[in-house]
Amino acid sequence: MEPAHWPSEHSDALRDYFLKGLSYAEIGRQINARFGTAYTRNAVVGRAKRLGLIVQLRMTSPSIVPVLPSGACLILPHRPALLNLPPKSAMKPAAQVKLRCVGVQPRLVPLVELAAEDCRYPYGGDKDGEEITFCGHPSEPGSSYCTPHARLTRRAGAGSARVSGPVVLRLVSAA
DNA sequence: CCCTGATTCGC
DNA sequence: GCGAATCAGG
């Protein structure tokens, strides 16, 4: 691999998503989908930390607290506006998982024709201003996605190690 | 069971 | 510096 370091684009995307409040796993999926990379959430969190985005509270010894000696620090001169980061785990939506191959034939239903029970897995969203269409397959009850897409959003590689299992090939004696 | 965040450790 | 492995919590 040529770049052992993250391209600025990736880091920028990472920052954007991070500041946007997406979870690490989602950030990873977003970046992977957009750039065709394969970052894991570990990679994302690791990069984010090294990048300086993650601010960890330093738990110092209970006795020696670096806090100001006297109670001088009571009045805050000014409130640093609200550059606020909403608590990371406070939000969840807005995270559309990009698409990749899933082995299904999307009906590519336009938004206007999308039924309530149709799978809302977006197609064409990562391209350009092209109309976004959707998978349109019957989605599972309680989910916005059909079975294959719902699974795709969770774990891509899970199916890899899924070879041995319930399905056992039966050898049929050929005449 | 699934998911997530966060740290550690080897490369 | 990178990311997988690992730990820990929901």
Side-chain angles (χ1 to χ4, degrees):
Chain A
M1 303 330 196
E2 316 75 41
H5 303 273
W6 280 46
S8 54
E9 291 77 15
H10 296 190
S11 297
D12 185 56
L14 170 58
R15 272 197 187 180
D16 185 40
Y17 290 131
F18 184 85
L19 292 173
K20 196 176 172 187
L22 296 180
S23 66
Y24 295 117
E26 285 176 281
I27 293 173
R29 272 177 286 198
Q30 291 292 325
I31 295 180
N32 289 335
R34 282 194 58 191
F35 299 96
T37 52
Y39 297 120
T40 63
R41 62 190 189 87
N42 302 309
V44 174
V45 68
R47 173 61 180 171
K49 181 181 297 182
R50 277 172 237 121
L51 216 169
L53 290 176
I54 297 181
V55 189
Q56 20 71 57
L57 298 179
R58 284 260 38 130
M59 294 295 290
T60 50
S61 309
S63 306
I64 45 173
V65 183
V67 77
L68 303 185
S70 55
C73 59
L74 294 180
I75 305 178
L76 297 181
H78 69 344
R79 298 196 66 95
L82 298 183
L83 299 180
N84 62 75
L85 276 201
K88 279 65 182 294
S89 308
M91 46 208 318
K92 76 133 203 141
Q96 302 281 19
V97 182
K98 295 299 183 167
L99 36 104
R100 296 267 91 179
C101 273
V102 71
V104 297
Q105 296 282 358
R107 290 169 52 209
L108 297 181
V109 179
L111 180 58
V112 292
E113 296 185 22
L114 190 65
E117 293 300 312
D118 288 344
C119 174
R120 290 179 177 80
Y121 197 89
Y123 275 81
D126 65 336
K127 283 300 178 185
D128 42 44
E130 175 182 21
E131 290 185 44
I132 299 180
T133 53
F134 298 87
C135 167
H137 281 294
S139 58
E140 294 184 274
S143 177
S144 298
Y145 303 108
C146 61
T147 303
H149 280 139
R151 210 183 159 85
L152 182 66
T153 54
R154 294 186 191 109
R155 214 61 189 189
S160 302
R162 186 100 283 202
V163 182
S164 316
V167 179
V168 179
L169 291 182
R170 243 177 216 279
L171 265 189
V172 182
S173 313

